[in-house]
Amino acid sequence: MKTASQLRKLADGSRLVRVTFAGTDFQLREGGNLAAEMLAAGIGPFRYTPVSGAPRNPYCMMGACFDCLVEIDGVIRQACMMEVREGLSISRPAAGEAEHD
Amino acid sequence: MTEADLVVIGAGPAGMSAARAAADAGLSVVLLDEQRKAGGQIYRDVVRAAKVRADILGPDFHKGLELVHALRHANIHHITGATVWQIERNTRVAYTVEGAASFVTGKCLLIATGALERPIPVPGWTLPGAMTAGAAQILLKQSGMLVENAVLAGCGPLLYLVAAQMCRAGTPPQALVETQSTANILAAVLHHGMGAIQGWRQLAKGLGLLSELRSSGVKRFTGASAIAIEGSEHVEAIRFTARGRRQRVECSTVLLHHGVVANTQTARSIGVPHHWDELQRAFVPEKNKWGRTVHPQVYIAGDGAGIGGADAAAITGRIAALAIAGELGAITQAERDAAALPLRRDLRRELAARPFIDRAYPPYGGALSPADETIICRCEEVTAGDIRKYAKIGCRGPNQTKAFGRPGMGPCQGRYCGLTVTELLAAANGLSPQDTGYYRIRPPIKPVTLGELAGLAKQIEDEKETAQ
Ligand SMILES: Cc1cc2nc3c(=O)[nH]c(=O)nc-3n(C[C@H](O)[C@H](O)[C@H](O)COP(=O)(O)OP(=O)(O)OC[C@H]3O[C@@H](n4cnc5c(N)ncnc54)[C@H](O)[C@@H]3O)c2cc1C
Ligand code: FES
């Protein structure tokens, strides 16, 4: 069973910094697009839907679909609209979280 | 800065060229974009990407550099990473940067928020690993990442472009699953004979991409139907019917695309009327030939005003800027008209191939009218069958569906289900999409937190105090 997309990174010499996702440490490129770096690190699913619990990962990468939602410091954010910073502590949004209205 | 002659939302080709043209005419411009770099979708992160990936991205990408460099002008204040979530009294724009909300008021407003990829609800499109073709491009331009072991599915010029870029980078797709048929192309040729020739530049570009794909040996299936994505926790394969039989190609990513449509969210949130464009098969905002909407201070340009592509977007941006400069007295009507004349000629040339492309690469029928079990609203997991059921019990328009279920009420606000819901209801009720209508869009058009609002309230109070 496949669990991740395969992504090849073109080298760019960025510094790697530590972030955690759901309690596990990952080294991601500092300043990189958070959703992209998470995908390339094989992190996923980003979240489970509140309705059926289905797994989701980024779909549009342009801030329109909201499938890349993650929780950072208690705030639910679009990972594709954020940059990697050292020490980010990321988790899946709690199930049933009121993300709308 | 909280005031400007012109506020522009969107730093793609339309917004960038409008900002520069307005600045040249002497107007003060605030340019807002939620991305951290100017460029918009086509020229995403162009300054950095052009240096390191020019060979992969192709010659067109370079045009973006000029537009970005032209933003260096004393009259232009470009606020990056600024997400616009509300517009009040037509020209007061509320936005958030890094968790802090502010607003800026323009004498005029230009909406240049671009396009979205047309929703493509096929079975399995919500699985991790199913993405838009545009998303793959964004990964490449912005992050220097190449999607390996992928299949591209759908149709249209952007699909070929992405495929060609993947080939150039040495990670060709496993297959190209194309939904248009030879009959579509033939019909387009017959219908547009002369028009297609006028638009030969774009068509030649397309042919160039196709021959690139041919020589790289990517497997192509045309006239594909019954597309479904397989996998339990993640994409594992794509199935479809082509060449007269069922096919299955294993892959870890499926990149979907069948055209782009105007992103109407911002214009709708301030009540700009839209109408159904049969050829683009989407709603487009109503505007005059200068891009002016029913709100006299509000203009709209670029793909958000109807799909024309990047070069047309830059031209319509300039045309709108001229009208705004004329309106605000920075140039005379005669100057405005004289400057617009060659732009209109260029625009006609740019748009000449459009109807041909729309006919040759019609949206995938299986995604316009999905099977009952297919999820059409990604956020609330509403299926096509649900919408048909609502129609049966009397639901006529998209806003009414919300009384039955929650389609369009999730965080994406219908960006990826709105057109599908319109089409499904129209077909079920025997009405036109025009009469069926679209979701009413209410602000905030992007999420805003209480903390951000509190900051804004303080700013408003402080300003009141200084005014007193
Ligand atoms: C994902 C994607 C990839 C594409 N790639 C190509 C390509 O490679 N080649 C090609 O010819 N065409 C491409 N297109 C088609 C594209 O629409 C046009 O070519 C061109 O980018 C349109 O220019 P524009 O200025 O109208 O809008 P865009 O270039 O789309 O610019 C709109 C800008 O508005 C900003 N924006 C939108 N809403 C808000 C908001 N609420 N707050 C703040 N900012 C906001 C966006 O961040 C964006 O930068 C692509 C389209 C998409 C959707
Ligand atoms: S991936 Fe669509 S909003 Fe982030």
Side-chain angles (χ1 to χ4, degrees):
Chain A
M1 188 180 73
K2 293 196 179 78
T3 56
S5 290
Q6 287 157 257
L7 288 167
R8 182 157 69 84
K9 282 193 258 186
L10 301 174
D12 70 351
S14 309
R15 191 168 85 99
L16 295 179
V17 294
R18 188 186 57 85
V19 308
T20 63
F21 178 78
T24 308
D25 281 1
F26 291 91
Q27 299 286 326
L28 305 184
R29 293 189 295 192
E30 185 172 36
N33 179 280
L34 180 61
E37 299 300 323
M38 284 171 65
L39 281 176
I43 297 176
F46 281 41
R47 66 184 188 107
Y48 293 101
T49 60
V51 181
S52 75
R56 290 288 168 87
N57 265 11
Y59 172 72
C60 74
M61 289 300 291
M62 57 178 279
C65 76
F66 294 76
D67 264 326
C68 63
L69 292 177
V70 291
E71 191 172 321
I72 299 173
D73 296 332
V75 182
I76 294 176
R77 320 250 335 234
Q78 292 168 285
C80 75
M81 302 300 288
M82 291 190 66
E83 284 181 3
V84 173
R85 273 186 326 225
E86 175 130 45
L88 279 182
S89 166
I90 311 160
S91 57
R92 297 195 175 100
E97 192 77 26
E99 289 151 5
H100 34 71
D101 294 1
Chain B
M1 193 195 299
T2 55
E3 275 172 24
D5 291 326
L6 172 62
V7 175
V8 179
I9 309 175
M16 290 191 288
S17 64
R20 178 59 193 239
D24 282 341
L27 302 186
S28 60
V29 181
V30 167
L31 173 62
L32 304 167
D33 196 298
E34 61 185 330
Q35 291 299 327
R36 281 160 217 266
K37 302 277 160 53
Q41 299 312 344
I42 174 165
Y43 306 129
R44 181 71 87 103
D45 235 348
V46 60
V47 175
R48 203 166 50 105
K51 264 185 252 153
V52 283
R53 306 187 248 287
D55 49 332
I56 301 176
L57 291 165
D60 269 357
F61 198 63
H62 264 288
K63 288 191 209 160
L65 278 179
E66 238 169 83
L67 289 167
V68 173
H69 289 148
L71 292 180
R72 284 193 219 126
H73 188 293
N75 291 355
I76 300 177
H77 181 39
H78 178 196
I79 306 178
T80 60
T83 303
V84 171
W85 45 270
Q86 180 159 347
I87 300 166
E88 293 163 26
R89 284 178 262 129
N90 296 333
T91 62
R92 178 153 119 160
V93 180
Y95 62 94
T96 304
V97 182
E98 298 275 0
S102 315
F103 58 81
V104 52
T105 307
K107 292 186 182 124
C108 286
L109 172 70
L110 177 68
I111 299 173
T113 48
L116 292 174
E117 288 176 271
R118 183 189 296 279
I120 181 160
V122 296
W125 75 310
T126 51
L127 273 174
M131 286 194 274
T132 67
Q137 260 206 325
I138 292 170
L139 285 169
L140 172 62
K141 293 171 189 169
Q142 188 174 40
S143 303
M145 287 181 190
L146 290 153
V147 185
E148 296 181 308
N149 191 25
V151 168
L152 284 156
C155 66
L158 194 61
L159 200 73
Y160 295 141
L161 178 61
V162 176
Q165 288 169 341
M166 291 169 80
C167 292
R168 286 172 207 157
T171 51
Q174 298 296 320
L176 203 54
V177 177
E178 299 173 41
T179 53
Q180 88 290 343
S181 63
T182 326
N184 293 134
I185 311 242
L186 204 62
V189 170
L190 290 177
H191 193 274
H192 288 284
M194 279 313 286
I197 292 167
Q198 279 168 31
W200 64 271
R201 256 183 254 252
Q202 272 89 338
L203 299 178
K205 231 186 274 172
L207 289 177
L209 290 175
L210 277 177
S211 79
E212 220 179 312
L213 291 177
R214 221 167 281 130
S215 58
S216 65
V218 175
K219 214 187 285 168
R220 285 180 63 199
F221 298 88
T222 57
S225 61
I227 293 173
I229 302 169
E230 265 182 24
S232 52
E233 295 292 303
H234 196 276
V235 170
E236 294 172 26
I238 182 169
R239 276 183 192 278
F240 53 95
T241 300
R243 302 176 184 166
R245 63 181 186 89
R246 286 301 279 165
Q247 313 270 355
R248 182 174 189 276
V249 181
E250 286 196 13
C251 56
S252 54
T253 302
V254 173
L255 302 171
L256 296 162
H257 178 87
H258 65 156
V260 293
V261 293
N263 176 0
T264 60
Q265 224 72 9
T266 311
R268 283 184 188 278
S269 76
I270 52 168
V272 171
H274 287 65
H275 66 265
W276 182 256
D277 181 313
E278 193 53 46
L279 200 54
Q280 297 194 1
R281 216 154 166 167
F283 287 100
V284 293
E286 281 176 22
K287 61 199 182 299
N288 72 9
K289 65 173 183 173
W290 299 97
R292 186 178 181 158
T293 69
V294 285
H295 306 304
Q297 321 88 334
V298 180
Y299 291 72
I300 182 156
D303 272 2
I307 303 305
D311 292 338
I315 299 168
T316 56
R318 271 179 212 120
I319 292 175
L322 286 173
I324 291 162
E327 194 60 39
L328 298 180
I331 58 174
T332 65
Q333 300 286 325
E335 284 168 332
R336 177 196 74 174
D337 293 346
L341 209 59
L343 292 175
R344 290 198 195 287
R345 192 196 53 222
D346 293 349
L347 184 61
R348 266 195 304 278
R349 198 189 58 210
E350 280 309 318
L351 296 180
R354 243 16 260 187
F356 175 84
I357 294 171
D358 289 337
R359 278 210 166 75
Y361 298 99
Y364 169 48
L368 293 178
S369 180
D372 277 348
E373 319 74 61
T374 310
I375 289 176
I376 57 110
C377 165
R378 301 175 62 90
C379 298
E380 299 292 335
E381 299 180 75
V382 179
T383 65
D386 291 333
I387 302 294
R388 293 190 178 106
K389 207 169 57 200
Y390 304 158
K392 223 175 244 155
I393 49 180
C395 177
R396 312 287 277 181
N399 292 304
Q400 246 184 315
T401 59
K402 296 180 180 175
F404 297 87
R406 295 186 48 94
M409 292 177 77
C412 100
Q413 290 190 313
R415 284 170 175 88
Y416 286 109
C417 72
L419 287 173
T420 314
V421 169
T422 295
E423 293 247 13
L424 284 170
L425 286 178
N429 289 323
L431 291 171
S432 67
Q434 175 74 37
D435 291 336
T436 302
Y438 192 83
Y439 293 130
R440 203 173 304 115
I441 303 299
R442 292 213 175 82
I445 52 172
K446 290 272 168 141
V448 54
T449 65
L450 282 178
E452 290 163 355
L453 283 177
L456 186 62
K458 184 168 180 315
Q459 185 187 339
I460 294 172
E461 240 158 58
D462 290 351
E463 282 192 12
K464 268 194 207 138
E465 270 169 30
T466 9
Q468 275 161 13

